[in-house]
Amino acid sequence: MANKTIRVTGTQGPGFNMTVSAGKHRFSIDQPQAGGGNDEGPTPLEYLAGSLAGCLGAIARIMAHQRKIELRGLDFEVEGELDMDGLLGKPTEQRVGFQGFTVKVKLDAALSDEEKKAFAEEMERRCPVSENLSNATPVHVVAE
Amino acid sequence: MANKTIRVTGTQGPGFNMTVSAGKHRFSIDQPQAGGGNDEGPTPLEYLAGSLAGCLGAIARIMAHQRKIELRGLDFEVEGELDMDGLLGKPTEQRVGFQGFTVKVKLDAALSDEEKKAFAEEMERRCPVSENLSNATPVHVVAE
């Protein structure tokens, strides 16, 4: 076991905008003006989709390093659909979150189509974000 | 049903750094230098934790608006632990992703402790990111 703890903090004022601190880095989460925000950053759902791409990309980089494959670059497109009724508190038959995610990845490397397919499958298997979405992950929210 | 599609794209070069585009916004994902990156942004796992805080905060803002509660602000702390062996491709008994997340939230509002507890429970229930983590969400990765 090689356990690691990830920790971030977030501060939100009287609007939708939140500033998240992760070590020395900061990022801004907001909603578009049409949704009542100030459009000062991507939405939480866009960050979720981005973290999935980022995680798969990091695993690809680790795999390429481990196998001495020249991976010149990757392009990702992540798409997910969700029913907005649940989050708005309206009755719905649908789940609250995304029904699923489709990730299209273009690998710029000297690999055959079959090798790229196997490479992408292993990326998915070894990516924590993908695994946490695919399988139930306990979330415990505590009001202080 | 009020379905919405969320879509982001990500471009990664020969290192760990990825630039994600979400509408007009961009954000940078990287690894620390000790992990082989250039430390140009938070890691994918930090973005996942941040998206969870951001989502809970957005739901809190919607709930406060719907109930005409003066919610002056929120402070979040998100923590999760994972075993790094899985993502590195080493044999492990642990799951690849986070074992779970604990979210501490301080609500700055004129609510009793009991009301804050109930408010936080509904935040969790209506938050897509929390729901997608808590329950299995299909992820489909396609190499192109």
Side-chain angles (χ1 to χ4, degrees):
Chain A
M1 290 231 308
N3 268 12
K4 187 172 176 176
T5 298
I6 303 293
R7 185 180 170 277
V8 305
T9 58
T11 304
Q12 185 176 334
F16 277 101
N17 188 261
M18 181 184 294
T19 301
V20 175
S21 298
K24 71 171 197 183
H25 297 291
R26 308 274 173 278
F27 60 98
S28 195
I29 307 181
D30 206 348
Q31 293 290 325
Q33 286 177 350
N38 287 321
D39 204 15
E40 289 173 13
T43 67
L45 303 182
E46 288 169 338
Y47 277 116
L48 175 61
S51 78
L52 176 56
C55 182
L56 290 163
I59 300 301
R61 181 54 55 211
I62 294 169
M63 287 171 57
H65 178 74
Q66 289 174 332
R67 296 175 190 182
K68 308 201 190 317
I69 292 168
E70 191 198 352
L71 177 60
R72 290 176 290 266
L74 305 102
D75 282 298
F76 287 91
E77 187 185 309
V78 182
E79 219 173 72
E81 200 172 285
L82 78 167
D83 176 18
M84 303 296 279
D85 284 346
L87 70 90
L88 292 170
K90 296 180 189 170
T92 170
E93 297 292 303
Q94 301 290 318
R95 65 185 295 176
V96 165
F98 286 93
Q99 274 108 48
F101 288 98
T102 301
V103 183
K104 293 180 188 166
V105 55
K106 280 185 195 158
L107 299 163
D108 182 5
L111 297 173
S112 69
D113 286 354
E114 271 310 299
E115 288 168 331
K116 285 182 181 177
K117 190 166 174 278
F119 195 92
E121 280 167 7
E122 185 168 336
M123 281 164 60
E124 182 176 348
R125 208 162 48 238
R126 286 171 55 178
C127 164
V129 177
S130 171
E131 196 275 316
N132 279 125
L133 289 168
S134 302
N135 302 295
T137 304
V139 176
H140 187 47
V141 181
V142 188
E144 295 201 314
Chain B
M1 288 230 311
N3 269 10
K4 187 171 178 177
T5 298
I6 304 292
R7 184 179 170 277
V8 304
T9 57
T11 304
Q12 186 176 334
F16 277 100
N17 188 260
M18 180 184 295
T19 301
V20 175
S21 298
K24 71 171 198 184
H25 297 290
R26 307 274 173 278
F27 59 98
S28 195
I29 307 180
D30 205 349
Q31 294 290 324
Q33 286 178 350
N38 287 321
D39 204 15
E40 289 174 14
T43 66
L45 303 183
E46 289 169 336
Y47 276 117
L48 174 61
S51 79
L52 176 56
C55 182
L56 290 163
I59 299 303
R61 182 54 55 211
I62 293 169
M63 286 172 57
H65 179 74
Q66 289 173 333
R67 296 175 191 182
K68 308 202 190 316
I69 292 168
E70 191 197 353
L71 177 60
R72 291 176 290 266
L74 306 101
D75 282 298
F76 287 91
E77 187 185 310
V78 182
E79 219 173 72
E81 200 172 286
L82 78 166
D83 175 17
M84 303 294 280
D85 284 347
L87 71 88
L88 292 170
K90 297 180 188 171
T92 171
E93 297 292 302
Q94 301 290 318
R95 66 186 294 176
V96 165
F98 286 92
Q99 274 109 48
F101 288 98
T102 301
V103 183
K104 293 180 188 165
V105 56
K106 281 185 194 155
L107 299 163
D108 182 5
L111 296 173
S112 69
D113 286 354
E114 270 312 297
E115 287 168 331
K116 285 182 182 177
K117 191 166 174 278
F119 195 92
E121 280 168 7
E122 185 168 337
M123 281 165 59
E124 181 176 348
R125 209 162 47 239
R126 285 170 55 178
C127 164
V129 177
S130 171
E131 195 275 317
N132 278 124
L133 288 168
S134 301
N135 302 296
T137 305
V139 176
H140 187 45
V141 181
V142 189
E144 294 201 315

